[in-house]
């Protein structure tokens, strides 16, 4: 008898619908080439443009608003430029993005006297007509719009009204409530399931007045009905103002605008522009009494539905004689193995003494981690996801399915999971020496790490990555590899942890593209930061940064934190190591002094630095795969090729110009 099919619970239907709405690749960068003429190679105009390429990234990194303009040369060879970074970017990312922008736009718009280029973190526009610097004009000819081709499938009219209200409210806040002319917003898509949200962003250049900013935004928002009706995402990017909305979070900053449940939603399009009084502006909030009632209820529904979903996965009938999808099969097996690992809440409360503060090991963006002891005496680490955690059902399912399936001595082991009493708990093996960053970057504890131990840690991380990329049943890209996600056991053996952002690849898949760049700046590869492209080579880049941190004992943004190194031009570890490498004063000048002078002349120290530099090459094709890295680390007979400039290197230096 055929097994009866159980329908998905209503909440899961909504969540599934949202997953289907996630857009395809962003396709960054987007360039708009000018039509005002061309310049010739080695001309004065090109030389002035080269000077701008040096000055502007330096100016914008020192600007509190991450906004800069510059003019170089005299008419008719004068070049004017404007650059702005998104409100959630930091100075290092902003400057690096602008360096890449100058390089890319001159390749894509070769010899054009005016051009614009857009990335997620930054925009750049230059022209031989500098009138745009003072006019407040949005330079419409250089604007670009992008439409998410997926349609809203449920109540599109209400969705359009919601988007119109949210975008206009966000534009109001950016114009009238922010000196940076930047705002992020969110609204609940469905009153019954408020976890399903729409997110928005609006920003103007900060030199515009509030009224100029709002008028600029109103002009491009007016195109919403024509461009984005029934679309789950869209954006218009301009030189002076831009906006965007999506059905997923795409910013790394707090939300300034929240539309209340049941608030009125006007039709999609601009509202009337009425400048608010200084310090005024609209405020959108959900009453506290409503939140007190709704949040526990919603959390309970999520837990119940997830448990039902797990059961449904296990009971799915298997059809013989058909070719199964390997990814689908892997996820199913992963969920079945998770169900067998469920631990009841009473056991974990007893193990952690009801999550006592004295047992807290640390706290991150997704929640706190507690030490505990099970009745059999085994020590555990319990990751308690907060109810306000950014890690939702998707990330939780992702981490569970991946970690349960992966088994390697250099990966942290999942012991169990608990989804009771509105709790979301992941139970891992306890790793007594905590994370690498807590020892490596501590002025006293770092002395515990002699060179032999640091070599062992580097080798262990490399072997764990090789397993993820090449040797396991799955092909996994971690996407958040950093020193704080490397745990050290009793014998200081490294274990890669935190798979909440990891992605599963097919065996024949070489890369993925996302519109939602997440991770830690400094460890993320340039192609991922700028274009959303990620692959195993993205993890190789992160590994290379960690190798150089382990050898030097310095963080990747060392020169911002260490007065002894601040006099140098560089503001990152990669540039500093590269300068010493090319000057031939490696390793003594940069090796961690805690290692002692005996390490300064060791060939394996120099070899590790060279491997680290090879892993952080700007072009992913120039980086080795992890199996090659493991061979390089394990044998002196494997020859190494010479590295070139690392990614983001030289952003404070003038390019060579022909005389």
């Amino acid at each position: 008898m055929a097994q009866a099919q159980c329908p998905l619970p209503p909440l899961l239907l909504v969540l599934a619908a949202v997953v289907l709405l996630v857009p395809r690749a962003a396709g960054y960068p987007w360039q708009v080439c000018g039509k005002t003429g061309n310049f010739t190679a080695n001309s004065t105009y090109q030389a002035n443009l080269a000077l701008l390429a040096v000055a502007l990234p330096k100016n914008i990194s020192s600007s509190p608003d991450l906004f800069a303009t510059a003019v170089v040369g005299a008419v008719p060879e004068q070049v004017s430029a404007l650059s702005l970074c998104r409100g959630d970017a930091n100075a290092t990312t902003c400057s690096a993005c602008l360096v890449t922008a100058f390089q890319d736009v001159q390749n894509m718009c070769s010899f054009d006297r005016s051009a614009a280029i857009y990335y997620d973190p930054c925009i750049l526009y230059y022209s031989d007509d500098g009138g745009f610097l003072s006019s407040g004009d949005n330079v419409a000819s250089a604007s670009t719009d992008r439409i998410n081709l997926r349609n809203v499938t449920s109540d599109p009219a209400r969705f359009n009204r919601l988007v119109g209200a949210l975008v206009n409210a966000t534009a109001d806040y950016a114009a009238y409530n922010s000196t940076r002319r930047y705002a992020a917003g969110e609204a609940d898509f469905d009153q019954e399931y408020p976890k399903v949200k729409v997110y928005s962003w609006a920003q103007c250049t900060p030199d515009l007045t509030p009224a100029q900013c709002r008028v600029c935004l109103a002009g491009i928002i007016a195109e919403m009905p024509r461009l984005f009706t029934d679309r789950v995402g869209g954006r218009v990017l301009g030189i002076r103002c831009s906006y965007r909305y999506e059905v997923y979070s795409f910013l790394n900053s707090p939300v300034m605008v929240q539309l209340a449940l049941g608030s009125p939603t006007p039709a999609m399009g601009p509202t009337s522009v009425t400048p608010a009084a200084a310090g005024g502006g609209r405020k959108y909030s959900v009453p506290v009494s409503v939140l007190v009632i709704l949040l526990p209820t919603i959390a309970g529904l999520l837990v119940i539905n997830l448990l039902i979903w797990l059961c449904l996965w296990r009971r799915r009938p298997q059809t013989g004689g058909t070719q199964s999808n390997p990814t689908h099969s892997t996820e199913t097996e992963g969920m079945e193995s998770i169900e067998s690992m469920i631990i009841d809440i009473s056991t974990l409360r007893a193990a952690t003494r009801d999550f006592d503060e004295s047992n807290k090991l640390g706290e991150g963006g997704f929640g706190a981690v507690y030490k505990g002891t099970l009745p059999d005496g085994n020590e555990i680490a319990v990751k308690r996801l907060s109810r306000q955690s950014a890690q939702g059902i998707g990330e939780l399912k992702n981490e569970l399915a991946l970690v349960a399936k992966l088994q390697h001595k250099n990966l942290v082991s999942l012991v169990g999971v608990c989804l009771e009493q509105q709790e979301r708990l992941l139970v891992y093996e306890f790793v007594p020496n905590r994370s690498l960053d807590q020892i490596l970057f501590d002025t006293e504890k770092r002395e515990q790490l002699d060179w032999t131990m640091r070599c062992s840690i580097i080798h262990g991380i490399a072997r764990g990555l090789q397993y993820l990329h090449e040797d396991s049943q799955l092909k996994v890209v971690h996407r958040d590899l950093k020193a704080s996600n490397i745990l050290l056991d009793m014998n200081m053996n490294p274990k890669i942890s935190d798979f909440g952002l990891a992605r599963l690849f097919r065996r024949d898949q070489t890369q993925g593209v996302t519109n939602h760049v997440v991770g830690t700046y400094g460890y993320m590869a340039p192609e991922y930061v700028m274009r959303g492209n990620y692959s195993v080579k993205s993890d190789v880049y992160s590994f290379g940064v960690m190798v150089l941190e382990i050898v030097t004992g310095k963080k990747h943004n060392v020169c911002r934190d260490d007065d002894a190194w601040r006099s140098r031009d560089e503001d990152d570890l990669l540039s500093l190591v590269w300068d010493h490498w090319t000057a031939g004063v490696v390793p003594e000048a940069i090796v961690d002094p805690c290692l002692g002078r005996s390490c300064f002349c060791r060939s394996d120290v120099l070899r590790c630095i060279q491997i680290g530099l090879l892993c952080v090459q700007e072009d992913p094709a120039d980086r080795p795969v992890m199996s090659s890295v493991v061979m390089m680390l394990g044998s002196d007979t494997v020859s190494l090729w010479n590295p070139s400039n690392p990614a983001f290197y030289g952003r404070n230096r003038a390019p060579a110009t022909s005389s």
Side-chain angles (χ1 to χ4, degrees), residues 246-390:
E246 304 287 356
V247 292
Y248 59 88
S249 176
F250 57 91
L251 297 172
N252 296 312
S253 69
V255 171
M256 297 93 162
V257 176
Q258 289 182 304
L259 290 191
L261 291 171
S263 60
T265 53
M268 179 181 282
T271 58
S272 59
V273 181
T274 306
R282 304 178 186 179
K283 297 183 182 298
Y284 303 88
S285 61
V286 179
V288 174
S289 59
V290 175
L291 290 176
V292 169
I293 297 171
L294 284 178
L295 289 180
T297 305
I298 294 164
L301 286 172
L302 286 172
V303 171
I304 293 169
N305 278 274
L306 183 59
L307 288 172
I308 294 172
W309 186 82
L310 288 170
C311 294
L312 288 172
W313 267 102
R314 186 173 187 181
R315 294 175 182 175
R316 257 183 100 112
Q318 301 296 319
T319 304
T322 60
Q323 187 174 358
S324 62
N325 183 316
T327 302
H328 176 272
S329 175
T330 300
E331 290 179 353
T332 304
E333 293 171 6
M335 286 303 166
E336 289 177 351
S337 63
I338 290 166
E339 191 178 354
S340 66
M341 302 169 70
I342 290 177
I343 301 176
D344 63 85
I345 187 66
S346 59
T347 300
L348 296 181
R349 288 194 181 279
T352 60
R353 290 189 294 178
D354 202 16
F355 304 104
D356 190 272
E357 282 293 310
S358 63
N359 284 329
K360 184 183 285 189
L361 298 173
E363 189 158 7
F366 293 155
V369 180
Y370 296 85
K371 181 182 178 182
T373 305
L374 293 174
D376 60 6
N378 286 329
E379 292 183 315
I380 54 174
V382 183
K383 182 177 179 181
R384 188 186 195 187
L385 302 181
S386 69
R387 294 173 187 174
Q388 293 78 36
S389 168

Side-chain angles (χ1 to χ4, degrees), residues 422-544:
Q422 303 175 19
E423 295 279 9
R424 293 178 293 165
L425 305 171
L426 301 178
V427 185
Y428 291 98
E429 63 174 313
F430 176 66
V431 185
N433 285 311
R434 302 194 181 182
S435 58
L436 174 61
D437 66 315
Q438 295 185 39
I439 298 178
L440 182 63
F441 303 135
D442 186 284
T443 53
E444 296 180 0
K445 294 180 181 178
R446 68 201 302 171
E447 295 184 0
Q448 303 173 28
L449 301 176
D450 58 22
W451 178 242
T452 300
M453 194 171 293
R454 295 190 196 205
C455 268
S456 175
I457 291 171
I458 292 172
H459 285 220
I461 299 170
R463 286 191 292 268
L465 272 183
Q466 181 185 1
Y467 172 80
L468 290 176
H469 293 174
E470 304 171 37
D471 296 341
S472 71
Q473 300 177 50
L474 314 175
K475 182 178 181 181
V476 179
V477 178
H478 189 280
R479 293 206 308 168
D480 197 22
L481 200 67
K482 55 185 176 181
S484 60
N485 282 339
I486 304 299
L487 305 183
L488 301 173
D489 69 10
M490 185 177 299
N491 298 315
M492 303 299 280
N493 295 312
K495 292 178 178 287
I496 300 171
S497 70
D498 202 338
F499 289 81
L501 301 180
R503 287 294 177 265
L504 180 64
F505 274 26
R506 300 185 307 273
R507 276 294 162 191
D508 60 346
Q509 186 177 355
T510 57
Q511 73 169 8
V513 186
T514 182
N515 212 12
H516 185 200
V517 175
V518 288
T520 304
Y521 288 120
Y523 292 99
M524 293 191 292
E527 70 276 6
Y528 182 45
V529 174
M530 303 304 174
R531 303 177 182 89
N533 296 339
Y534 61 93
S535 66
V536 294
K537 295 296 187 74
S538 310
D539 284 351
V540 172
Y541 180 91
S542 305
F543 172 79

